[in-house]
PDB file of all heavy atoms in Angstrom:
ATOM      1  N   GLN A  14       3.024   7.053 -20.948  1.00 78.00           N
ATOM      2  CA  GLN A  14       1.954   6.061 -20.785  1.00 78.00           C
ATOM      3  C   GLN A  14       2.481   4.814 -20.064  1.00 78.00           C
ATOM      4  O   GLN A  14       1.797   4.242 -19.225  1.00 78.00           O
ATOM      5  CB  GLN A  14       1.384   5.666 -22.151  1.00 78.00           C
ATOM      6  CG  GLN A  14       0.519   6.731 -22.786  1.00 78.00           C
ATOM      7  CD  GLN A  14       0.021   6.309 -24.157  1.00 78.00           C
ATOM      8  OE1 GLN A  14       0.479   5.315 -24.711  1.00 78.00           O
ATOM      9  NE2 GLN A  14      -0.919   7.092 -24.701  1.00 78.00           N
ATOM     10  N   PHE A  15       3.718   4.419 -20.406  1.00 74.00           N
ATOM     11  CA  PHE A  15       4.302   3.239 -19.759  1.00 74.00           C
ATOM     12  C   PHE A  15       4.449   3.470 -18.253  1.00 74.00           C
ATOM     13  O   PHE A  15       4.070   2.615 -17.439  1.00 74.00           O
ATOM     14  CB  PHE A  15       5.668   2.932 -20.393  1.00 74.00           C
ATOM     15  CG  PHE A  15       6.411   1.835 -19.686  1.00 74.00           C
ATOM     16  CD1 PHE A  15       6.051   0.506 -19.852  1.00 74.00           C
ATOM     17  CD2 PHE A  15       7.474   2.137 -18.840  1.00 74.00           C
ATOM     18  CE1 PHE A  15       6.726  -0.496 -19.201  1.00 74.00           C
ATOM     19  CE2 PHE A  15       8.148   1.140 -18.178  1.00 74.00           C
ATOM     20  CZ  PHE A  15       7.781  -0.195 -18.358  1.00 74.00           C
ATOM     21  N   PHE A  16       5.013   4.595 -17.857  1.00 74.00           N
ATOM     22  CA  PHE A  16       5.199   4.869 -16.436  1.00 74.00           C
ATOM     23  C   PHE A  16       3.872   5.044 -15.715  1.00 74.00           C
ATOM     24  O   PHE A  16       3.730   4.677 -14.544  1.00 74.00           O
ATOM     25  CB  PHE A  16       6.102   6.098 -16.228  1.00 74.00           C
ATOM     26  CG  PHE A  16       7.562   5.783 -16.443  1.00 74.00           C
ATOM     27  CD1 PHE A  16       8.283   6.388 -17.452  1.00 74.00           C
ATOM     28  CD2 PHE A  16       8.209   4.861 -15.622  1.00 74.00           C
ATOM     29  CE1 PHE A  16       9.615   6.093 -17.643  1.00 74.00           C
ATOM     30  CE2 PHE A  16       9.538   4.569 -15.806  1.00 74.00           C
ATOM     31  CZ  PHE A  16      10.249   5.179 -16.831  1.00 74.00           C
ATOM     32  N   GLU A  17       2.890   5.634 -16.399  1.00 78.00           N
ATOM     33  CA  GLU A  17       1.575   5.791 -15.787  1.00 78.00           C
ATOM     34  C   GLU A  17       0.953   4.418 -15.507  1.00 78.00           C
ATOM     35  O   GLU A  17       0.428   4.171 -14.426  1.00 78.00           O
ATOM     36  CB  GLU A  17       0.667   6.609 -16.713  1.00 78.00           C
ATOM     37  CG  GLU A  17      -0.701   6.894 -16.133  1.00 78.00           C
ATOM     38  CD  GLU A  17      -1.545   7.718 -17.086  1.00 78.00           C
ATOM     39  OE1 GLU A  17      -0.986   8.545 -17.825  1.00 78.00           O
ATOM     40  OE2 GLU A  17      -2.770   7.507 -17.072  1.00 78.00           O
ATOM     41  N   ARG A  18       1.044   3.530 -16.484  1.00 73.00           N
ATOM     42  CA  ARG A  18       0.505   2.170 -16.287  1.00 73.00           C
ATOM     43  C   ARG A  18       1.289   1.423 -15.199  1.00 73.00           C
ATOM     44  O   ARG A  18       0.705   0.680 -14.410  1.00 73.00           O
ATOM     45  CB  ARG A  18       0.587   1.361 -17.583  1.00 73.00           C
ATOM     46  CG  ARG A  18      -0.180   1.937 -18.714  1.00 73.00           C
ATOM     47  CD  ARG A  18      -1.575   1.459 -18.682  1.00 73.00           C
ATOM     48  NE  ARG A  18      -2.312   2.141 -19.738  1.00 73.00           N
ATOM     49  CZ  ARG A  18      -3.355   1.678 -20.302  1.00 73.00           C
ATOM     50  NH1 ARG A  18      -3.821   0.533 -19.925  1.00 73.00           N
ATOM     51  NH2 ARG A  18      -3.963   2.358 -21.233  1.00 73.00           N
ATOM     52  N   ALA A  19       2.587   1.607 -15.157  1.00 70.00           N
ATOM     53  CA  ALA A  19       3.402   0.940 -14.132  1.00 70.00           C
ATOM     54  C   ALA A  19       3.020   1.445 -12.745  1.00 70.00           C
ATOM     55  O   ALA A  19       2.905   0.646 -11.796  1.00 70.00           O
ATOM     56  CB  ALA A  19       4.884   1.177 -14.394  1.00 70.00           C
ATOM     57  N   ASN A  20       2.827   2.735 -12.606  1.00 70.00           N
ATOM     58  CA  ASN A  20       2.415   3.283 -11.309  1.00 70.00           C
ATOM     59  C   ASN A  20       1.038   2.763 -10.905  1.00 70.00           C
ATOM     60  O   ASN A  20       0.789   2.491  -9.731  1.00 70.00           O
ATOM     61  CB  ASN A  20       2.418   4.818 -11.339  1.00 70.00           C
ATOM     62  CG  ASN A  20       3.824   5.380 -11.250  1.00 70.00           C
ATOM     63  OD1 ASN A  20       4.708   4.735 -10.706  1.00 70.00           O
ATOM     64  ND2 ASN A  20       4.024   6.576 -11.785  1.00 70.00           N
ATOM     65  N   GLU A  21       0.139   2.628 -11.874  1.00 65.00           N
ATOM     66  CA  GLU A  21      -1.179   2.073 -11.562  1.00 65.00           C
ATOM     67  C   GLU A  21      -1.065   0.627 -11.079  1.00 65.00           C
ATOM     68  O   GLU A  21      -1.744   0.215 -10.139  1.00 65.00           O
ATOM     69  CB  GLU A  21      -2.087   2.135 -12.800  1.00 65.00           C
ATOM     70  CG  GLU A  21      -2.563   3.519 -13.160  1.00 65.00           C
ATOM     71  CD  GLU A  21      -3.338   3.539 -14.465  1.00 65.00           C
ATOM     72  OE1 GLU A  21      -3.595   2.443 -15.018  1.00 65.00           O
ATOM     73  OE2 GLU A  21      -3.664   4.639 -14.924  1.00 65.00           O
ATOM     74  N   ALA A  22      -0.185  -0.145 -11.732  1.00 60.00           N
ATOM     75  CA  ALA A  22      -0.007  -1.541 -11.331  1.00 60.00           C
ATOM     76  C   ALA A  22       0.606  -1.626  -9.944  1.00 60.00           C
ATOM     77  O   ALA A  22       0.204  -2.457  -9.117  1.00 60.00           O
ATOM     78  CB  ALA A  22       0.881  -2.271 -12.340  1.00 60.00           C
ATOM     79  N   ILE A  23       1.567  -0.766  -9.682  1.00 57.00           N
ATOM     80  CA  ILE A  23       2.197  -0.771  -8.356  1.00 57.00           C
ATOM     81  C   ILE A  23       1.192  -0.355  -7.301  1.00 57.00           C
ATOM     82  O   ILE A  23       1.092  -0.968  -6.232  1.00 57.00           O
ATOM     83  CB  ILE A  23       3.438   0.153  -8.345  1.00 57.00           C
ATOM     84  CG1 ILE A  23       4.552  -0.480  -9.183  1.00 57.00           C
ATOM     85  CG2 ILE A  23       3.920   0.402  -6.926  1.00 57.00           C
ATOM     86  CD1 ILE A  23       5.752   0.409  -9.388  1.00 57.00           C
ATOM     87  N   ASP A  24       0.427   0.691  -7.597  1.00 54.00           N
ATOM     88  CA  ASP A  24      -0.574   1.170  -6.642  1.00 54.00           C
ATOM     89  C   ASP A  24      -1.701   0.163  -6.452  1.00 54.00           C
ATOM     90  O   ASP A  24      -2.383   0.163  -5.445  1.00 54.00           O
ATOM     91  CB  ASP A  24      -1.162   2.520  -7.090  1.00 54.00           C
ATOM     92  CG  ASP A  24      -0.153   3.648  -6.916  1.00 54.00           C
ATOM     93  OD1 ASP A  24       0.783   3.458  -6.099  1.00 54.00           O
ATOM     94  OD2 ASP A  24      -0.298   4.689  -7.579  1.00 54.00           O
ATOM     95  N   ALA A  25      -1.919  -0.697  -7.441  1.00 52.00           N
ATOM     96  CA  ALA A  25      -3.006  -1.669  -7.344  1.00 52.00           C
ATOM     97  C   ALA A  25      -2.668  -2.790  -6.362  1.00 52.00           C
ATOM     98  O   ALA A  25      -3.512  -3.632  -6.074  1.00 52.00           O
ATOM     99  CB  ALA A  25      -3.306  -2.253  -8.719  1.00 52.00           C
ATOM    100  N   GLY A  26      -1.459  -2.829  -5.875  1.00 50.00           N
ATOM    101  CA  GLY A  26      -1.103  -3.819  -4.854  1.00 50.00           C
ATOM    102  C   GLY A  26      -0.680  -5.153  -5.428  1.00 50.00           C
ATOM    103  O   GLY A  26      -1.043  -6.207  -4.902  1.00 50.00           O
ATOM    104  N   LEU A  27       0.084  -5.129  -6.505  1.00 47.00           N
ATOM    105  CA  LEU A  27       0.542  -6.374  -7.103  1.00 47.00           C
ATOM    106  C   LEU A  27       1.786  -6.932  -6.392  1.00 47.00           C
ATOM    107  O   LEU A  27       2.253  -7.992  -6.746  1.00 47.00           O
ATOM    108  CB  LEU A  27       0.851  -6.164  -8.592  1.00 47.00           C
ATOM    109  CG  LEU A  27      -0.350  -5.811  -9.462  1.00 47.00           C
ATOM    110  CD1 LEU A  27       0.096  -5.559 -10.890  1.00 47.00           C
ATOM    111  CD2 LEU A  27      -1.366  -6.935  -9.418  1.00 47.00           C
ATOM    112  N   PHE A  28       2.310  -6.232  -5.416  1.00 49.00           N
ATOM    113  CA  PHE A  28       3.493  -6.701  -4.694  1.00 49.00           C
ATOM    114  C   PHE A  28       3.089  -7.213  -3.326  1.00 49.00           C
ATOM    115  O   PHE A  28       1.967  -7.043  -2.877  1.00 49.00           O
ATOM    116  CB  PHE A  28       4.521  -5.562  -4.580  1.00 49.00           C
ATOM    117  CG  PHE A  28       5.135  -5.222  -5.909  1.00 49.00           C
ATOM    118  CD1 PHE A  28       4.553  -4.275  -6.723  1.00 49.00           C
ATOM    119  CD2 PHE A  28       6.272  -5.859  -6.350  1.00 49.00           C
ATOM    120  CE1 PHE A  28       5.101  -3.964  -7.951  1.00 49.00           C
ATOM    121  CE2 PHE A  28       6.815  -5.549  -7.567  1.00 49.00           C
ATOM    122  CZ  PHE A  28       6.242  -4.605  -8.384  1.00 49.00           C
ATOM    123  N   TRP A  29       4.029  -7.890  -2.652  1.00 45.00           N
ATOM    124  CA  TRP A  29       3.745  -8.552  -1.371  1.00 45.00           C
ATOM    125  C   TRP A  29       3.297  -7.577  -0.296  1.00 45.00           C
ATOM    126  O   TRP A  29       2.465  -7.896   0.531  1.00 45.00           O
ATOM    127  CB  TRP A  29       5.009  -9.266  -0.865  1.00 45.00           C
ATOM    128  CG  TRP A  29       5.383 -10.422  -1.727  1.00 45.00           C
ATOM    129  CD1 TRP A  29       4.849 -11.645  -1.698  1.00 45.00           C
ATOM    130  CD2 TRP A  29       6.349 -10.427  -2.752  1.00 45.00           C
ATOM    131  NE1 TRP A  29       5.420 -12.432  -2.647  1.00 45.00           N
ATOM    132  CE2 TRP A  29       6.364 -11.696  -3.314  1.00 45.00           C
ATOM    133  CE3 TRP A  29       7.221  -9.467  -3.270  1.00 45.00           C
ATOM    134  CZ2 TRP A  29       7.197 -12.060  -4.336  1.00 45.00           C
ATOM    135  CZ3 TRP A  29       8.058  -9.833  -4.288  1.00 45.00           C
ATOM    136  CH2 TRP A  29       8.032 -11.114  -4.811  1.00 45.00           C
ATOM    137  N   ARG A  30       3.829  -6.432  -0.302  1.00 48.00           N
ATOM    138  CA  ARG A  30       3.619  -5.516   0.814  1.00 48.00           C
ATOM    139  C   ARG A  30       2.415  -4.596   0.584  1.00 48.00           C
ATOM    140  O   ARG A  30       2.164  -3.690   1.357  1.00 48.00           O
ATOM    141  CB  ARG A  30       4.899  -4.721   0.994  1.00 48.00           C
ATOM    142  CG  ARG A  30       5.006  -3.876   2.191  1.00 48.00           C
ATOM    143  CD  ARG A  30       5.054  -4.674   3.443  1.00 48.00           C
ATOM    144  NE  ARG A  30       4.903  -3.726   4.509  1.00 48.00           N
ATOM    145  CZ  ARG A  30       5.469  -3.788   5.654  1.00 48.00           C
ATOM    146  NH1 ARG A  30       6.188  -4.822   5.943  1.00 48.00           N
ATOM    147  NH2 ARG A  30       5.292  -2.873   6.557  1.00 48.00           N
ATOM    148  N   GLY A  31       1.691  -4.832  -0.468  1.00 53.00           N
ATOM    149  CA  GLY A  31       0.532  -3.977  -0.705  1.00 53.00           C
ATOM    150  C   GLY A  31       0.879  -2.853  -1.647  1.00 53.00           C
ATOM    151  O   GLY A  31       1.138  -3.067  -2.813  1.00 53.00           O
ATOM    152  N   ASN A  32       0.936  -1.672  -1.179  1.00 57.00           N
ATOM    153  CA  ASN A  32       1.168  -0.484  -1.986  1.00 57.00           C
ATOM    154  C   ASN A  32       2.655  -0.132  -1.938  1.00 57.00           C
ATOM    155  O   ASN A  32       3.144   0.431  -0.965  1.00 57.00           O
ATOM    156  CB  ASN A  32       0.315   0.663  -1.454  1.00 57.00           C
ATOM    157  CG  ASN A  32       0.286   1.815  -2.415  1.00 57.00           C
ATOM    158  OD1 ASN A  32       1.125   1.922  -3.296  1.00 57.00           O
ATOM    159  ND2 ASN A  32      -0.686   2.682  -2.234  1.00 57.00           N
ATOM    160  N   LEU A  33       3.394  -0.440  -3.018  1.00 58.00           N
ATOM    161  CA  LEU A  33       4.838  -0.241  -3.044  1.00 58.00           C
ATOM    162  C   LEU A  33       5.198   1.248  -3.052  1.00 58.00           C
ATOM    163  O   LEU A  33       6.157   1.657  -2.401  1.00 58.00           O
ATOM    164  CB  LEU A  33       5.432  -0.937  -4.272  1.00 58.00           C
ATOM    165  CG  LEU A  33       6.945  -0.882  -4.398  1.00 58.00           C
ATOM    166  CD1 LEU A  33       7.594  -1.614  -3.235  1.00 58.00           C
ATOM    167  CD2 LEU A  33       7.394  -1.489  -5.702  1.00 58.00           C
ATOM    168  N   ALA A  34       4.420   2.039  -3.776  1.00 59.00           N
ATOM    169  CA  ALA A  34       4.725   3.480  -3.838  1.00 59.00           C
ATOM    170  C   ALA A  34       4.612   4.108  -2.454  1.00 59.00           C
ATOM    171  O   ALA A  34       5.433   4.935  -2.058  1.00 59.00           O
ATOM    172  CB  ALA A  34       3.776   4.166  -4.815  1.00 59.00           C
ATOM    173  N   LYS A  35       3.631   3.682  -1.697  1.00 62.00           N
ATOM    174  CA  LYS A  35       3.472   4.200  -0.335  1.00 62.00           C
ATOM    175  C   LYS A  35       4.623   3.739   0.559  1.00 62.00           C
ATOM    176  O   LYS A  35       5.127   4.506   1.389  1.00 62.00           O
ATOM    177  CB  LYS A  35       2.135   3.705   0.217  1.00 62.00           C
ATOM    178  CG  LYS A  35       1.732   4.308   1.523  1.00 62.00           C
ATOM    179  CD  LYS A  35       0.350   3.802   1.876  1.00 62.00           C
ATOM    180  CE  LYS A  35      -0.103   4.343   3.192  1.00 62.00           C
ATOM    181  NZ  LYS A  35      -1.398   3.796   3.583  1.00 62.00           N
ATOM    182  N   ALA A  36       5.062   2.491   0.359  1.00 59.00           N
ATOM    183  CA  ALA A  36       6.171   1.967   1.153  1.00 59.00           C
ATOM    184  C   ALA A  36       7.454   2.719   0.837  1.00 59.00           C
ATOM    185  O   ALA A  36       8.260   2.990   1.727  1.00 59.00           O
ATOM    186  CB  ALA A  36       6.352   0.474   0.886  1.00 59.00           C
ATOM    187  N   VAL A  37       7.658   3.066  -0.431  1.00 62.00           N
ATOM    188  CA  VAL A  37       8.865   3.804  -0.801  1.00 62.00           C
ATOM    189  C   VAL A  37       8.824   5.204  -0.195  1.00 62.00           C
ATOM    190  O   VAL A  37       9.835   5.699   0.309  1.00 62.00           O
ATOM    191  CB  VAL A  37       9.002   3.862  -2.349  1.00 62.00           C
ATOM    192  CG1 VAL A  37      10.079   4.842  -2.775  1.00 62.00           C
ATOM    193  CG2 VAL A  37       9.281   2.476  -2.904  1.00 62.00           C
ATOM    194  N   ARG A  38       7.655   5.834  -0.185  1.00 63.00           N
ATOM    195  CA  ARG A  38       7.543   7.167   0.412  1.00 63.00           C
ATOM    196  C   ARG A  38       7.815   7.131   1.902  1.00 63.00           C
ATOM    197  O   ARG A  38       8.386   8.066   2.450  1.00 63.00           O
ATOM    198  CB  ARG A  38       6.145   7.743   0.150  1.00 63.00           C
ATOM    199  CG  ARG A  38       6.054   8.419  -1.200  1.00 63.00           C
ATOM    200  CD  ARG A  38       4.730   9.140  -1.373  1.00 63.00           C
ATOM    201  NE  ARG A  38       4.100   8.617  -2.581  1.00 63.00           N
ATOM    202  CZ  ARG A  38       2.998   7.919  -2.622  1.00 63.00           C
ATOM    203  NH1 ARG A  38       2.311   7.687  -1.536  1.00 63.00           N
ATOM    204  NH2 ARG A  38       2.520   7.477  -3.762  1.00 63.00           N
ATOM    205  N   GLN A  39       7.419   6.045   2.563  1.00 61.00           N
ATOM    206  CA  GLN A  39       7.637   5.942   4.008  1.00 61.00           C
ATOM    207  C   GLN A  39       8.988   5.319   4.340  1.00 61.00           C
ATOM    208  O   GLN A  39       9.310   5.122   5.499  1.00 61.00           O
ATOM    209  CB  GLN A  39       6.533   5.101   4.647  1.00 61.00           C
ATOM    210  CG  GLN A  39       5.168   5.726   4.563  1.00 61.00           C
ATOM    211  CD  GLN A  39       4.100   4.810   5.130  1.00 61.00           C
ATOM    212  OE1 GLN A  39       4.377   3.680   5.516  1.00 61.00           O
ATOM    213  NE2 GLN A  39       2.874   5.311   5.185  1.00 61.00           N
ATOM    214  N   LYS A  40       9.750   4.983   3.304  1.00 60.00           N
ATOM    215  CA  LYS A  40      11.062   4.342   3.459  1.00 60.00           C
ATOM    216  C   LYS A  40      10.948   3.044   4.255  1.00 60.00           C
ATOM    217  O   LYS A  40      11.759   2.746   5.114  1.00 60.00           O
ATOM    218  CB  LYS A  40      12.062   5.303   4.089  1.00 60.00           C
ATOM    219  CG  LYS A  40      12.281   6.504   3.226  1.00 60.00           C
ATOM    220  CD  LYS A  40      13.366   7.376   3.740  1.00 60.00           C
ATOM    221  CE  LYS A  40      13.447   8.559   2.784  1.00 60.00           C
ATOM    222  NZ  LYS A  40      14.542   9.376   2.943  1.00 60.00           N
ATOM    223  N   ASP A  41       9.910   2.277   3.943  1.00 59.00           N
ATOM    224  CA  ASP A  41       9.691   0.978   4.580  1.00 59.00           C
ATOM    225  C   ASP A  41      10.013  -0.094   3.536  1.00 59.00           C
ATOM    226  O   ASP A  41       9.164  -0.476   2.744  1.00 59.00           O
ATOM    227  CB  ASP A  41       8.232   0.868   5.047  1.00 59.00           C
ATOM    228  CG  ASP A  41       7.983  -0.416   5.807  1.00 59.00           C
ATOM    229  OD1 ASP A  41       8.974  -1.055   6.217  1.00 59.00           O
ATOM    230  OD2 ASP A  41       6.815  -0.802   5.962  1.00 59.00           O
ATOM    231  N   PHE A  42      11.254  -0.561   3.545  1.00 64.00           N
ATOM    232  CA  PHE A  42      11.728  -1.497   2.527  1.00 64.00           C
ATOM    233  C   PHE A  42      11.759  -2.942   3.013  1.00 64.00           C
ATOM    234  O   PHE A  42      12.203  -3.812   2.287  1.00 64.00           O
ATOM    235  CB  PHE A  42      13.131  -1.110   2.057  1.00 64.00           C
ATOM    236  CG  PHE A  42      13.185   0.236   1.409  1.00 64.00           C
ATOM    237  CD1 PHE A  42      13.783   1.306   2.040  1.00 64.00           C
ATOM    238  CD2 PHE A  42      12.622   0.431   0.158  1.00 64.00           C
ATOM    239  CE1 PHE A  42      13.837   2.536   1.437  1.00 64.00           C
ATOM    240  CE2 PHE A  42      12.670   1.667  -0.445  1.00 64.00           C
ATOM    241  CZ  PHE A  42      13.281   2.742   0.185  1.00 64.00           C
ATOM    242  N   LYS A  43      11.300  -3.209   4.201  1.00 67.00           N
ATOM    243  CA  LYS A  43      11.379  -4.578   4.738  1.00 67.00           C
ATOM    244  C   LYS A  43      10.603  -5.563   3.882  1.00 67.00           C
ATOM    245  O   LYS A  43      11.103  -6.631   3.538  1.00 67.00           O
ATOM    246  CB  LYS A  43      10.850  -4.617   6.169  1.00 67.00           C
ATOM    247  CG  LYS A  43      11.725  -3.938   7.168  1.00 67.00           C
ATOM    248  CD  LYS A  43      11.101  -4.040   8.531  1.00 67.00           C
ATOM    249  CE  LYS A  43      11.815  -3.124   9.501  1.00 67.00           C
ATOM    250  NZ  LYS A  43      11.153  -3.091  10.788  1.00 67.00           N
ATOM    251  N   GLY A  44       9.390  -5.213   3.552  1.00 67.00           N
ATOM    252  CA  GLY A  44       8.559  -6.122   2.760  1.00 67.00           C
ATOM    253  C   GLY A  44       9.107  -6.316   1.356  1.00 67.00           C
ATOM    254  O   GLY A  44       9.142  -7.436   0.832  1.00 67.00           O
ATOM    255  N   THR A  45       9.556  -5.242   0.760  1.00 69.00           N
ATOM    256  CA  THR A  45      10.111  -5.327  -0.589  1.00 69.00           C
ATOM    257  C   THR A  45      11.386  -6.150  -0.589  1.00 69.00           C
ATOM    258  O   THR A  45      11.570  -7.027  -1.440  1.00 69.00           O
ATOM    259  CB  THR A  45      10.406  -3.917  -1.124  1.00 69.00           C
ATOM    260  OG1 THR A  45       9.226  -3.129  -1.026  1.00 69.00           O
ATOM    261  CG2 THR A  45      10.889  -3.967  -2.558  1.00 69.00           C
ATOM    262  N   LEU A  46      12.251  -5.899   0.367  1.00 75.00           N
ATOM    263  CA  LEU A  46      13.510  -6.633   0.459  1.00 75.00           C
ATOM    264  C   LEU A  46      13.263  -8.112   0.731  1.00 75.00           C
ATOM    265  O   LEU A  46      13.886  -8.974   0.099  1.00 75.00           O
ATOM    266  CB  LEU A  46      14.397  -6.021   1.550  1.00 75.00           C
ATOM    267  CG  LEU A  46      15.804  -6.587   1.659  1.00 75.00           C
ATOM    268  CD1 LEU A  46      16.557  -6.385   0.355  1.00 75.00           C
ATOM    269  CD2 LEU A  46      16.539  -5.952   2.811  1.00 75.00           C
ATOM    270  N   SER A  47      12.339  -8.414   1.634  1.00 78.00           N
ATOM    271  CA  SER A  47      12.057  -9.823   1.927  1.00 78.00           C
ATOM    272  C   SER A  47      11.449 -10.509   0.701  1.00 78.00           C
ATOM    273  O   SER A  47      11.757 -11.664   0.406  1.00 78.00           O
ATOM    274  CB  SER A  47      11.144  -9.954   3.136  1.00 78.00           C
ATOM    275  OG  SER A  47       9.895  -9.367   2.878  1.00 78.00           O
ATOM    276  N   GLY A  48      10.589  -9.794  -0.020  1.00 78.00           N
ATOM    277  CA  GLY A  48      10.016 -10.361  -1.245  1.00 78.00           C
ATOM    278  C   GLY A  48      11.078 -10.644  -2.291  1.00 78.00           C
ATOM    279  O   GLY A  48      11.078 -11.702  -2.936  1.00 78.00           O
ATOM    280  N   ILE A  49      12.000  -9.718  -2.454  1.00 83.00           N
ATOM    281  CA  ILE A  49      13.086  -9.909  -3.420  1.00 83.00           C
ATOM    282  C   ILE A  49      13.981 -11.070  -2.989  1.00 83.00           C
ATOM    283  O   ILE A  49      14.404 -11.886  -3.813  1.00 83.00           O
ATOM    284  CB  ILE A  49      13.883  -8.602  -3.597  1.00 83.00           C
ATOM    285  CG1 ILE A  49      13.024  -7.576  -4.329  1.00 83.00           C
ATOM    286  CG2 ILE A  49      15.181  -8.856  -4.342  1.00 83.00           C
ATOM    287  CD1 ILE A  49      13.632  -6.202  -4.411  1.00 83.00           C
TER     288      ILE A  49
END
């Protein structure tokens, strides 16, 4: 349940780059790295 809720939060676009799960699948870490 915890991981399911976390994935929903990530997919909901709570990070700078929008959809983090999609960015990880495309190996696009620029937005995540700049945010960090």
